[in-house]
Amino acid sequence: MYLLAIESSCDETAAAVCADGKILSNFIATQKVHEMYGGVVPELASRAHMQHIVPVVHQALEKAGCTPTQLDAVAFTQAPGLIGSLLVGAQFAKSLALSLNIPLIPVHHMQAHVLANLIPEERPSFPFLCLTVSGGHTQIVRCNSPLDMQVIGETIDDAAGEAFDKSAKLLGLPYPGGPLVDKYAREGNPERFSFPEPRIPGLNFSFSGLKTSILYFLRNAGTSLLYKEEFKATDEERTAFIQNNLADLCASIQHRIISILLNKMKKAVEETGIREVCIAGGVSANSGLRQALKETGDKLGWKTYIPPFEYCTDNAAMIAITGYYKYQAGQFADLSVAASARAEWE
Amino acid sequence: MEKVFSLEQLPETAQWVWEQAGDIKVLALHGEMGAGKTTLVHALCRSKGVTDVTGSPTFSLINEYAAPGSGRIYHLDLYRLRDEEEAIYAGVEDCLYSGYPCLVEWPEKAPGIFPPETLHLYLEPLNEGSRRLRIGRN
């Protein structure tokens, strides 16, 4: 059984092919195709998707050794995302399903991130908890079976990846600065500066208060976390403070973001009694988070899983694996199915 | 017009903003990082009965929420965009002229695509966590 999957929810156009749930190919336009085709790859939007979708699908099919007529189904990201970007993938998938007369399978991007954990050989057993952390999302999902999951916690403002990127921006690092914060943090002392942990009820997260206290702390060149006119440092003092303490600042900020994430995971484990714990999403590339998850898991008796990086960032392999389970369950859509920008799932 | 408000006064401030907006659909929220733009958007949405989670659209660019009265509310963030052209390709214009309420953060990234009848909100932090909000038609 061959399935083609298409992902176009945000900046990247991706395609993957799987055979009976095994990933045969997984291509992303901003990487491989860009190298192969050269030329400018615009960062954003539907025009870039339109340029990329045919070559990317072609690559994915070729690598998988599969022709379009061999396909048994086509899956695509239906929601959430940028509507103009989603539409490109949705229309392409619909046209292909219509012309080949094969089932069309709509996939929710956030459910697919969770199911990326089922791609590797070593996979969690059900039920499991998944912390999905990326530039746009921060969620704790309880997954009972491949097609039965609930969001049990999520951010009420900024996402964790955004907290990394915006902190980096405040430190004068280039965007997206999350990976740079991770890099400098390795050399720094995470206990040096103490940023407040928000008190948010239940399993929800908040990162905007942390962002604001970092902003004020830097504005005051490290003298206070509060906004007061008399604490404001000069530009020279601020720049010198950041330069002299960059590693410790990065380590302390990263330490706090990770502790916010893992403290909620501990609470989720306590409340659900589930000790199979996964992460997903682009921020799972952060070395501090990977290490902290493993250490916390070892200490508290969790089994932890981190998928390979190519399945953590936005990719089509996760759409393929989700499509495969929906195919088995016969969850198909007709051609009237619409792409949606809304993040909620029923 | 301007108003100084604390975190506790957010709901009444949101209501005041909607009263000032009248028939105006597009609200542009100006203010530095940490000024409280996303927090104000949250209050504005709650005041219109939105129950969806109103997270930051910095990464997603455009969030869409279901709203009981108007049907939907768009929450946009132009932070990652370079200029008007990128904003148009990202579908920002489609939202701004859709007739649905639009709450836009970082509008200064693409000032040229806003309709003339836009309400501009300027947020500024003050001492002890309070904020100053100034409202104008331009």
Side-chain angles (χ1 to χ4, degrees):
Chain A
M1 179 264 167
Y2 285 104
L3 181 144
L4 171 71
I6 292 161
E7 150 69 30
S8 70
S9 62
C10 200
D11 292 358
E12 302 186 294
T13 323
V17 174
C18 76
D20 301 317
K22 186 173 180 295
I23 303 299
L24 300 180
S25 64
N26 182 31
F27 276 87
I28 295 177
T30 43
Q31 299 162 11
K32 305 275 187 209
V33 171
H34 175 46
E35 285 163 22
M36 260 171 230
Y37 288 79
V40 180
V41 179
E43 209 182 324
L44 287 161
S46 53
R47 183 173 60 161
H49 285 298
M50 282 190 266
Q51 286 168 346
H52 290 149
I53 195 153
V54 173
V56 169
V57 166
H58 183 74
Q59 296 266 348
L61 287 169
E62 194 173 68
K63 170 87 191 299
C66 162
T67 63
T69 50
Q70 285 177 290
L71 290 173
D72 296 292
V74 54
F76 70 100
T77 307
Q78 185 220 349
L82 216 51
I83 195 74
S85 300
L86 287 168
L87 279 172
V88 177
Q91 294 308 328
F92 188 93
K94 284 182 191 180
S95 313
L96 201 64
L98 180 65
S99 63
L100 296 170
N101 195 26
I102 54 175
L104 176 69
I105 303 170
V107 169
H108 195 284
H109 183 86
M110 297 309 294
Q111 294 184 325
H113 266 306
V114 174
L115 294 187
N117 280 286
L118 301 182
I119 298 174
E121 294 268 308
E122 197 197 334
R123 32 149 81 185
S125 51
F126 295 101
F128 65 81
L129 296 176
C130 183
L131 174 67
T132 312
V133 273
S134 67
H137 301 282
T138 303
Q139 293 186 331
I140 302 177
V141 175
R142 178 195 167 116
C143 190
N144 301 314
S145 71
L147 301 177
D148 175 14
M149 55 178 99
Q150 297 109 31
V151 178
I152 57 173
E154 63 190 314
T155 182
I156 58 167
D157 42 57
D158 297 355
E162 185 178 348
F164 272 109
D165 286 340
K166 288 197 168 162
S167 302
K169 166 100 178 172
L170 294 172
L171 293 168
L173 303 173
Y175 185 90
L180 287 171
V181 172
D182 189 18
K183 188 180 144 206
Y184 293 120
R186 280 175 219 153
E187 314 290 320
N189 173 8
E191 313 279 342
R192 172 83 188 282
F193 305 111
S194 178
F195 296 105
E197 179 153 355
R199 280 179 302 230
I200 305 295
L203 298 173
N204 285 340
F205 302 93
S206 167
F207 290 99
S208 78
L210 174 65
K211 176 182 70 187
T212 306
S213 47
I214 294 167
L215 176 79
Y216 295 166
F217 190 66
L218 297 176
R219 185 179 179 274
N220 302 331
T223 54
S224 166
L225 288 162
L226 300 174
Y227 188 100
K228 272 201 176 171
E229 214 39 57
E230 59 264 37
F231 292 160
K232 191 176 176 181
T234 64
D235 286 352
E236 291 75 30
E237 288 169 333
R238 290 177 42 127
T239 312
F241 174 70
I242 293 173
Q243 261 174 7
N244 297 335
N245 299 287
L246 186 61
D248 288 347
L249 282 165
C250 287
S252 301
I253 291 168
Q254 174 156 314
H255 173 73
R256 177 54 74 215
I257 295 174
I258 292 171
S259 81
I260 293 172
L261 292 170
L262 290 184
N263 284 341
K264 291 291 181 168
M265 280 313 276
K266 284 182 201 164
K267 197 167 177 194
V269 169
E270 276 166 25
E271 285 182 10
T272 62
I274 297 170
R275 288 169 180 279
E276 298 276 310
V277 178
C278 309
I279 52 175
V283 177
S284 56
N286 180 281
S287 65
L289 176 60
R290 295 170 92 95
Q291 198 188 338
L293 177 71
K294 190 162 183 315
E295 284 171 6
T296 308
D298 289 348
K299 204 169 86 188
L300 299 176
W302 308 349
K303 281 189 79 179
T304 56
Y305 304 84
I306 305 173
F309 185 57
E310 64 196 282
Y311 302 140
C312 285
T313 50
D314 286 355
N315 68 88
M318 68 184 196
I319 307 299
I321 191 85
T322 310
Y324 167 72
Y325 286 108
K326 293 187 86 168
Y327 181 87
Q328 288 188 315
Q331 293 185 6
F332 308 142
D334 64 33
L335 295 172
S336 67
V337 63
S340 165
R342 282 193 68 214
E344 311 288 305
W345 80 60
E346 67 288 344
Chain B
M1 269 168 298
E2 69 173 53
K3 209 175 170 67
V4 171
F5 64 97
S6 65
L7 203 56
E8 291 71 35
Q9 292 167 316
L10 258 172
E12 60 188 76
T13 307
Q15 207 162 2
W16 176 74
V17 170
W18 285 122
E19 281 162 21
Q20 304 307 314
D23 291 334
I24 296 176
K25 298 290 183 198
V26 178
L27 276 58
L29 287 90
H30 303 258
E32 289 174 26
M33 195 186 290
K37 297 183 293 298
T38 306
T39 306
L40 181 59
V41 167
H42 176 82
L44 288 167
C45 287
R46 286 293 175 269
S47 145
K48 287 285 185 189
V50 170
T51 55
D52 289 351
V53 169
T54 51
S56 163
T58 295
F59 186 82
S60 58
L61 304 180
I62 302 170
N63 286 356
E64 182 187 319
Y65 310 127
S70 55
R72 65 176 78 157
I73 291 180
Y74 288 115
H75 179 192
L76 301 93
D77 188 333
L78 312 188
Y79 181 77
R80 293 199 305 145
L81 301 175
R82 270 192 295 260
D83 53 24
E84 279 82 1
E85 191 189 353
E86 282 201 347
I88 290 166
Y89 279 119
V92 170
E93 215 186 13
D94 299 338
C95 296
L96 296 184
Y97 295 86
S98 65
Y100 292 109
C102 292
L103 307 168
V104 193
E105 302 188 42
W106 297 98
E108 44 284 292
K109 293 280 183 164
I113 64 167
F114 283 82
E117 59 286 1
T118 294
L119 193 71
H120 292 271
L121 280 61
Y122 301 85
L123 266 171
E124 197 190 330
L126 299 173
N127 284 349
E128 315 296 349
S130 63
R131 299 287 193 271
R132 177 187 290 127
L133 172 63
R134 190 165 62 76
I135 295 189
R137 296 281 174 117
N138 47 47

